[in-house]
Structure formats: C-alpha cells, structure tokens
Amino acid sequence: MQLFENQQIHLYNSLSGKKEVFKPINEGHIGMYVCGPTVYSNVHLGNVRTFMSFDMIFRYLKHLGYKVRYVRNITDAGHLENDADVGEDKITKKARLEQIEPMEVVQRYTVDFHNILNTFNFLPPSIEPTATGHIIEQIELINTIIENGYAYVVNGSVYFDVHKFNETNDYGKLSKRKLDDLIHNTRALDGQSDKKNPQDFALWKKAEPQHIMRWPSPWSDGFPGWHLECTAMSTKYLGDRFDIHGGGMDLKFPHHECEIAQNEAAKGQSPVNYWMHANMLELNGQRMSKSTGNTINPEELLSGNNKFFSKAYAPSVIRFFIAQSSYRSVLDLTDDGLSASEKGFFRLMDAINLLNNLKASSSSSLNINNWKQKCYDAMNDDFNSPILIAHLFEGVKYINQIKEGSQTVTVADLQTLKDTLNTFAFDVLGLENVTKKETGTDKLTAAVDILIKLRQDARANKDFALSDKIRDELAGAGIVLKDGKEGTTFSVN
C-alpha cells in the first residue's frame, strides 16, 4: 500500500479560489507543469523561491508514492517583452549588448540556472523541454486555433482573437478579470498595430529584418508568442488535460490566462485541474526592483558580498527560511529573519544528529505516531511547510526530553521519531545535514568578532591608526566591516 492511499491532500486552487481535495486524473500518477525561466539573465531569488516551493511539492508527492511527471520548461526562444507588437526580445537584446550569439546567452544563463538550483539541493524535473525544441508543435497548435476560428493572420503575424473567444468562453476566469473591464482600462490602438483589439495576443510574430531568432512557418519567418510555448510543451508531455500547473503569482495574468484560452480554443477543454501560484519575495519590506537597487541575486546572498546582509548564509539556511513561510504568502527577506532561521536550522540539525545517541526504554511516555501524523496533516493542508516545521521542533523537544530522562521511548518509537524527522527535513523540505562547524560560519564569526572588539577598544582609546589597520587588513582579506547604529557587522567578499 502506498502512503497516498492514507493521506488526503487539500490544495488551494487559484481557479476556484478555495482549497479542494486533490484527486489525480489517473490514480497513483500526477502530471505537473511549472513555468521555467526565460534564460537571458542570472536567475533571481524571487524565481528561486517559486521553484523551491514546487520542488518541495514535488518531493512530498514522490514521498507519498505518487509517480510524478514533473515538467519545467526553459524559455530559450526570444519573444517580445509582455507580448508587445514592437521592440527587441530579451535574449536578442542581451546578445547585442554582450556582442555574442543569442544561443550563447541561452547557454550561459541555462547553466547558471542549473548551478544555482543544484546549490540549493533541488531535484531535477522529469522533463525539461525548451521552447526552441518545440517550434513544430507550436505551429501545429496555431493551425488548429486558426481552423477553429479563434485566431487571425495579419501581415505574416497570427493573433488570438480574445473577443471572439469570449463569446462562448470565459476569458479572465483564472485572474478573476472581466473582458469589459480590460477593454475599459486599455488605451486605444494608435493605428500602428495589426491587432483587431488591444486585448488580442500574439501566437506568432513576423520577424523584422534585424530579428536574429526566427523560424519558417506557413505565415512568415518569425517566432512564437510567449504564452504559446507553455501550452505546446505542457500538453505534449502531460496530455490535453493534466493535474497541476504552477508558477509565480506574476504569471497568473496574462500568461496563464492565455494558456487556458489557447487550450480551450484548440482542444475544447480547460487544460488543468489545479492551478497553483507561489507568492512574491520582498527585500527588507519592499518589492525587489533593479531600477531602485533593492535587489540581490543568490550568489550575493550566499557569499555575503552585498549591502543588505551582515554575513553569508548557507544554502540550507536560506532554504529553511523560505520554508518557514507558506508558498502562498508574501515573504520578506531580511537579515534578522535569516539570522533567526539560521539558529533554528542548526538547532534542528543538532537534534537530528543527537538521535543516534539516545537510549530506548521498555515503554513510551510519548505518542510518537500521533506526532508523526500531525507532520503529514500539515503537508496535506496545502503543503503548509511552516506548520510542518513547528511540528518538527516539537520532535526536537521530544529528543531533549528523552536525553534528559524526563520522557521514555521504545526502540520502535525511537526509530519512528528518527525516520520522520529525517524524511521531512531532508526528503521533503530538501535540507542538507550540515553543522556550524562544516559551514565554518561559527569559527569565522568568532574570529571576526574578536577583531571587531579590538577595533572598538582602539577607537575608544583614540588609537585610530590601529582601528584603521584592523579594518583595512580585514578588507584586504575579503572581510568588509560595516559600522551602523546597532554596532559593527561584517560581510565576506
């Protein structure tokens, strides 16, 4: 008997706006698609948070015994930003700025994407298709939509007719937007666009002479629309209707809304039973933005070489911090939050490592099986990782009580305690069993703290030459001191 037969999952479906009992289309099998990155720049932490949420979900479903086909694409076909009618696509623009070929851009940032995810201990997806590898499927899909009367061709480009589609379907049902409101809030066409209406979106764009990434099609040499790529790849590998489609909250409209419309126009049915969206990541209470400088990439956070955080943090500490918030909640990345998570993470690791030294008794004073089910109940409730972590720390309390002799546990219950903690900490949450000693953070922090104290004493004694010498020599070793209102902190370059 598989575990899933005894565990009933309730997940939040963005389409219905409520939690629903999860019932796979095919018993014991799950098809899950998550929108991957457009590989024109280094992956940012907001992306990492989204993919980490679905990595955790993938891990838990696998743990329950489901056979999961997890498809996460790579968008390597240049498309115009926000499906605009004019302008450069992201990949070609990057290639022009760096004076390299577009596919060099794709290769460079695909490798970066994989390296970052490997650093954070992600499981690879079952299939990782690329948009450029599925141009034929996309052209076939466009042909079907045209034949069904929901798209039109103008000057070599093909557009989805949103108004025609909405006559018999509900465009906006995922994002809870009405077409009338979209029309009211959209500026009038300026006469330069080939679209019938501003709400229509591109299925295929004719390439301008300078557009490098282009493919032959029945309508023109051009490139596919952004929304079309995911429809073609998800249905090829998961079927015309599959279980779960995930992505960031920012993709709900227009990207996922357009995916639904395309599939209904081509196949006559909605493609997905459960739509899931991970929420946004903020930095110090504000939205991450390159334009304001309020942004940080994963490598800067891991190295400590940044202006926001007092030190470097290990990948599993960051992963633990992210898991302490529901995937559907806005998460604020702060130094205090990461520091607290680091302490909690090492406390959990220390307790797990202590398990091997505990002695069993002939009887148990703890109800370990009841505690174990509470861990499952947390994950069964829309993958509620913060509640799961609270239960894991209840297990830490049990370990300390057993060690102190205030509670007893049998051999069987001790093994259950050990297996459950290991399963949820490592197999489900994806943490790695590292200690402060292995990360080196405790020794480095202690050494630098001593030098900071010596520098403070020097300044108090007006020995500014020694104070500056300590600061400068630490900087020469790649350790930057930062003086602030609450004292001196450091980062590692």
Side-chain angles (χ1 to χ4, degrees):
M1 179 182 291
Q2 297 288 356
L3 281 172
F4 65 76
E5 296 179 33
N6 292 323
Q7 306 294 337
Q8 187 176 75
I9 296 174
H10 292 76
L11 59 79
Y12 184 86
N13 189 349
S14 297
L15 190 60
S16 66
K18 61 184 181 182
K19 290 182 185 178
E20 299 177 6
V21 175
F22 176 63
K23 295 181 179 179
I25 295 170
N26 298 305
E27 186 177 354
H29 295 76
I30 295 173
M32 182 170 75
Y33 184 89
V34 173
C35 293
T38 301
V39 281
Y40 71 99
S41 64
N42 296 110
V43 62
H44 61 75
L45 273 170
N47 292 141
V48 171
R49 193 250 174 130
T50 294
F51 299 133
M52 193 174 289
S53 297
F54 288 102
D55 180 66
M56 177 190 69
I57 290 167
F58 178 41
R59 286 171 172 272
Y60 184 61
L61 296 174
K62 283 171 63 70
H63 165 68
L64 291 183
Y66 285 108
K67 293 183 178 179
V68 186
R69 177 175 288 180
Y70 175 22
V71 182
R72 188 187 65 215
N73 74 294
I74 296 287
T75 294
D76 62 344
H79 57 75
L80 305 189
E81 296 191 31
N82 301 317
D83 252 6
D85 288 331
V86 295
E88 284 186 287
D89 74 69
K90 298 176 181 180
I91 293 172
T92 300
K93 181 178 181 180
K94 190 75 169 185
R96 178 177 58 78
L97 291 173
E98 298 191 10
Q99 297 184 322
I100 58 178
E101 284 291 322
M103 293 313 288
E104 288 184 72
V105 173
V106 166
Q107 179 68 13
R108 175 183 300 174
Y109 294 112
T110 300
V111 169
D112 169 75
F113 174 66
H114 289 148
N115 286 342
I116 290 297
L117 266 54
N118 288 338
T119 298
F120 285 106
N121 196 33
F122 278 62
L123 295 179
S126 313
I127 303 173
E128 192 174 55
T130 63
T132 57
H134 296 79
I135 299 296
I136 292 174
E137 288 85 352
Q138 293 174 72
I139 290 173
E140 290 175 348
L141 188 59
I142 295 171
N143 268 326
T144 302
I145 295 173
I146 292 173
E147 290 170 2
N148 290 346
Y150 293 110
Y152 55 92
V153 183
V154 181
N155 297 328
S157 294
V158 185
Y159 296 97
F160 190 92
D161 193 334
V162 170
H163 290 245
K164 178 66 179 297
F165 174 79
N166 200 56
E167 290 175 3
T168 54
N169 298 275
D170 184 11
Y171 182 79
K173 61 184 176 183
L174 177 65
S175 57
K176 309 300 185 285
R177 304 186 187 201
K178 296 296 182 183
L179 185 56
D180 288 345
D181 295 332
L182 294 173
I183 294 170
H184 179 73
N185 293 319
T186 304
R187 63 177 175 81
L189 292 175
D190 58 11
Q192 302 298 315
S193 175
D194 291 331
K195 296 181 182 180
K196 291 181 181 178
N197 299 286
Q199 296 77 33
D200 296 348
F201 56 89
L203 298 176
W204 187 267
K205 285 289 295 181
K206 180 181 179 180
E208 299 296 328
Q210 70 274 15
H211 198 102
I212 300 172
M213 301 185 79
R214 58 204 296 150
W215 293 266
S217 79
W219 316 286
S220 65
D221 277 3
F223 51 95
W226 171 36
H227 313 307
L228 188 75
E229 300 166 2
C230 286
T231 297
M233 289 184 281
S234 62
T235 55
K236 174 168 182 174
Y237 295 108
L238 299 176
D240 292 345
R241 190 171 184 88
F242 53 94
D243 298 297
I244 297 172
H245 193 315
M249 193 73 74
D250 56 322
L251 297 181
K252 185 184 291 187
F253 185 89
H255 186 52
H256 291 161
E257 198 73 72
C258 293
E259 280 193 62
I260 292 175
Q262 288 166 163
N263 209 82
E264 291 184 346
K267 316 284 187 179
Q269 63 177 348
S270 188
V272 180
N273 281 355
Y274 305 92
W275 286 90
M276 300 181 67
H277 292 93
N279 217 321
M280 310 304 289
L281 184 67
E282 294 182 343
L283 179 59
N284 293 324
Q286 298 180 341
R287 183 176 179 179
M288 286 198 188
S289 170
K290 289 183 180 179
S291 61
T292 63
N294 193 57
T295 185
I296 184 172
N297 67 38
E299 290 182 345
E300 291 172 331
L301 184 56
L302 291 166
S303 68
N305 183 21
N306 61 82
K307 63 182 180 181
F308 300 105
F309 297 92
S310 61
K311 56 183 289 188
Y313 290 98
S316 277
V317 170
I318 298 169
R319 184 158 186 142
F320 185 69
F321 169 78
I322 290 174
Q324 286 183 293
S325 178
S326 166
Y327 76 92
R328 289 198 292 121
S329 300
V330 175
L331 176 59
D332 188 15
L333 186 67
T334 67
D335 199 17
D336 287 345
L338 275 170
S339 180
S341 286
E342 183 179 58
K343 293 175 184 176
F345 170 77
F346 287 125
R347 182 175 160 226
L348 178 61
M349 293 302 108
D350 289 344
I352 289 175
N353 292 328
L354 182 61
L355 271 168
N356 291 327
N357 298 324
L358 296 183
K359 294 183 178 179
S361 302
S362 58
S363 63
S364 285
S365 56
L366 295 168
N367 192 335
I368 296 299
N369 286 322
N370 182 59
W371 165 79
K372 174 183 175 181
Q373 185 56 47
K374 288 198 293 186
C375 293
Y376 280 99
D377 290 343
M379 288 302 290
N380 292 341
D381 182 18
D382 197 32
F383 311 102
N384 198 328
S385 55
I387 298 300
L388 167 65
I389 289 172
H391 292 320
L392 295 185
F393 278 110
E394 188 179 350
V396 170
K397 182 180 72 173
Y398 294 160
I399 291 170
N400 291 328
Q401 290 173 341
I402 296 167
K403 177 188 175 185
E404 294 164 0
S406 60
Q407 299 284 359
T408 60
V409 66
T410 63
V411 171
D413 280 353
L414 184 60
Q415 188 63 46
T416 298
L417 179 62
K418 182 177 181 179
D419 290 345
T420 303
L421 280 166
N422 278 277
T423 291
F424 283 101
F426 306 129
D427 297 344
V428 175
L429 294 180
L431 305 175
E432 293 182 284
N433 193 351
V434 294
T435 64
K436 284 185 179 180
K437 183 177 181 180
E438 289 171 324
T439 62
T441 56
D442 58 337
K443 290 182 179 179
L444 175 62
T445 299
V448 176
D449 283 346
I450 291 171
L451 291 170
I452 288 174
K453 179 67 167 59
L454 290 173
R455 179 169 173 262
Q456 289 171 340
D457 292 343
R459 295 172 76 179
N461 296 326
K462 300 188 184 304
D463 189 350
F464 298 114
L466 177 58
S467 170
D468 291 346
K469 179 180 175 66
I470 293 172
R471 179 198 63 204
D472 294 342
E473 293 199 5
L474 281 173
I479 299 170
V480 178
L481 299 185
K482 304 175 186 177
D483 295 317
K485 292 180 181 179
E486 298 181 0
T488 301
T489 59
F490 72 93
S491 64
V492 181
N493 289 341

